[in-house]
């Protein structure tokens, strides 16, 4: 059966909400924010309580790959599925309500931790799952809709800038004098993402991924700085200095 977009959203939400332990289902990504194109992926979150079994999701029979809980790391972003449903690309994300509620309370106290995550240069803050609550559309069940906590606006920029500063310091001490172009370029890109997190957190703007962070934070000039890096230490030193100036101005 073929569905229009509204019917498709309801069909998937209904099937996901029927999974054992599921308490809520959300629509995320560009489709929740109204920035999607006709061929954009569909992102759904399954909020569960207790022991979620991915075999229940596999049993629906949708084409694609369903990962085990914890397969994407042991942190807040703990797993999901990449599926084809009715010819559409669908990502399903597992969200443990116990974890989400804990991170919501932590964020209100201005606390968070950093986690590595595939495809993210700067990793992710644990408050990413709180950002999802604030931005995504609830299709089934009930979830809180938090504002950006004042305490987090105070604490997060400092922590992100410290990460950026340490990354730049290491690049200068370990890579510049050795003429390591790739390593310096990687350090600048990573530090730029850290700085973007700092800028956006200071504004009280939620971040869900890195796709628009540099643009939204006004750090797109890092592209030109990295593009002009040369193999000699002088060029690398100038690139690092230019990046430091860019970061300091934001």
């Amino acid at each position: 059966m073929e569905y229009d977009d509204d019917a498709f959203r309801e069909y998937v939400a209904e099937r996901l909400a029927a999974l054992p332990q599921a308490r809520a289902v959300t629509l995320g990504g560009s489709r929740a924010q109204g920035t999607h194109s006709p061929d954009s992926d569909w992102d759904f979150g399954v909020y569960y309580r207790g022991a979620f079994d991915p075999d229940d999701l596999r049993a629906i029979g949708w084409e694609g790959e369903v990962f085990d809980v914890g397969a994407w790391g042991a942190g807040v972003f703990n797993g999901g599925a990449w599926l084809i449903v009715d010819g559409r690309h669908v990502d399903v994300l597992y969200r443990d309500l116990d974890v989400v509620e804990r991170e919501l309370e932590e964020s209100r106290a201005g606390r968070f931790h950093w986690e590595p995550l595939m495809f993210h240069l700067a990793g992710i803050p644990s408050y990413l799952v709180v950002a999802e609550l604030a931005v995504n559309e609830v299709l089934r069940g009930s979830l809180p809709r938090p504002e950006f906590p004042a305490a987090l606006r105070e604490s997060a920029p400092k922590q992100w800038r410290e990460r950026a500063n340490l990354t730049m310091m290491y690049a200068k001490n370990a890579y510049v004098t050795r003429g390591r172009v790739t390593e310096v370029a990687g350090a600048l890109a990573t530090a730029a993402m850290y700085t973007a997190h700092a800028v956006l957190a200071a504004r009280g703007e939620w971040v869900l991924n890195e796709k628009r962070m540099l643009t939204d934070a006004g750090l797109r000039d890092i592209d030109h700085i990295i593009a002009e890096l040369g193999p000699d230490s002088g060029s690398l030193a100038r690139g690092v200095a230019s990046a430091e100036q860019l970061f300091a101005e934001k």
Side-chain angles (χ1 to χ4, degrees), residues 27 31 108 153 158 201 221:
L27 177 68
R31 291 186 180 275
R108 287 170 172 164
R153 290 185 67 171
K158 297 175 184 177
D221 283 348

Side-chain angles (χ1 to χ4, degrees), residues 14-36:
E14 192 68 22
R15 297 303 301 271
L16 294 177
L19 294 172
Q21 309 304 323
R23 297 294 181 268
V25 176
T26 61
L27 177 68
S30 61
R31 291 186 180 275
Q33 299 173 62
T35 59
H36 62 283

Side-chain angles (χ1 to χ4, degrees), residues 115-129:
E115 295 180 1
L117 183 65
M118 287 281 287
F119 318 123
H120 289 67
L121 283 173
I124 59 169
S126 56
Y127 60 77
L128 181 145
V129 294

